Structures are given as C-alpha cells and as structure tokens.
Amino acid sequence: MNRSTTMMLRWSWLLGVSLFGPVALPAGGAERRLPQIRRHQSSDPLLSGDDCLLQGSPLVAAPVLQRLEIGTPLHLLRRWRSEDGSDWIQVQVATGSVLSGSVEQQRGWVHR
C-alpha cells in the first residue's frame, strides 16, 4: 500500500471517530445525571392486593385473622424475613366504619 493511501485511511478513520463518537455521549458532554430515587414516604398507606390475608404471626400455618379486601389501607410497622427466606410485613389495619364511629386498629402479618 502506498503512503498516500495509508495517510488517507488514517485521516478517514480519525474523521469518522470524531464525527460519530459524540453521538453516543449525552447532550452537554460526558455529564450524566443519576435518576432520582423515589422512596416510599412513611405517612403514605400501603394498599392490600387481591387474596391478602392478615395472619396472627409470620408463619404460613398461622391462623388467619381477617381476609383483606382489595385496596384496604395498611400502615407498615416492620418487615421480617423468616428462616425459610419468605418476606413478611407487620401491618396495622383500621377496621370498622368511620361513619358509625367504631374504628378499631388491628395488627397482623401479611406475606409478601
């Protein structure tokens, strides 16, 4: 290969890298912003899903205290991982009717 062809290939490669290389960079150079992490606020209630059982202890064989309807607001008290590796959360549920004035708080465990 002659010298002029080699020089032309080098300059072509350099020009190609300099033109197409910045396409992979974000706008504004190499500055990348990390996504904001949205954390669950402790004041926000959790909502129960379908087939959610409030149990007396964090065991699969524990007695069922109440079957929760979909969308029942739950207040998270703590998390627990049992010996078999399953995750449980201890929650507090408001039971009763606000209109009748008889609202009771019931605690129990929900399997995640």
Side-chain angles (χ1 to χ4, degrees):
M1 213 188 282
N2 64 15
R3 183 171 165 82
S4 63
T5 308
T6 306
M7 287 297 289
M8 190 172 84
L9 287 175
R10 284 184 184 170
W11 281 106
S12 302
W13 181 82
L14 182 62
L15 183 61
V17 168
S18 64
L19 289 176
F20 295 109
V23 172
L25 294 174
E31 178 185 336
R32 290 188 184 247
R33 293 186 182 178
L34 297 175
Q36 291 182 346
I37 298 173
R38 183 174 180 266
R39 301 213 183 264
H40 179 75
Q41 300 295 325
S42 61
S43 60
D44 295 344
L46 298 173
L47 299 176
S48 65
D50 60 340
D51 197 31
C52 190
L53 302 174
L54 187 69
Q55 295 179 275
S57 65
L59 299 171
V60 176
V64 175
L65 303 175
Q66 180 182 357
R67 181 177 295 274
L68 302 173
E69 295 181 22
I70 295 176
T72 303
L74 307 170
H75 178 70
L76 176 66
L77 300 175
R78 68 177 172 156
R79 298 169 195 250
W80 176 263
R81 178 165 287 176
S82 63
E83 292 177 359
D84 65 352
S86 57
D87 292 325
W88 293 81
I89 55 173
Q90 187 179 28
V91 295
Q92 188 169 3
V93 182
T95 58
S97 173
V98 176
L99 298 175
S100 66
S102 61
V103 177
E104 297 178 13
Q105 301 291 328
Q106 185 177 19
R107 290 184 179 194
W109 294 87
V110 176
H111 186 260
R112 287 183 54 195

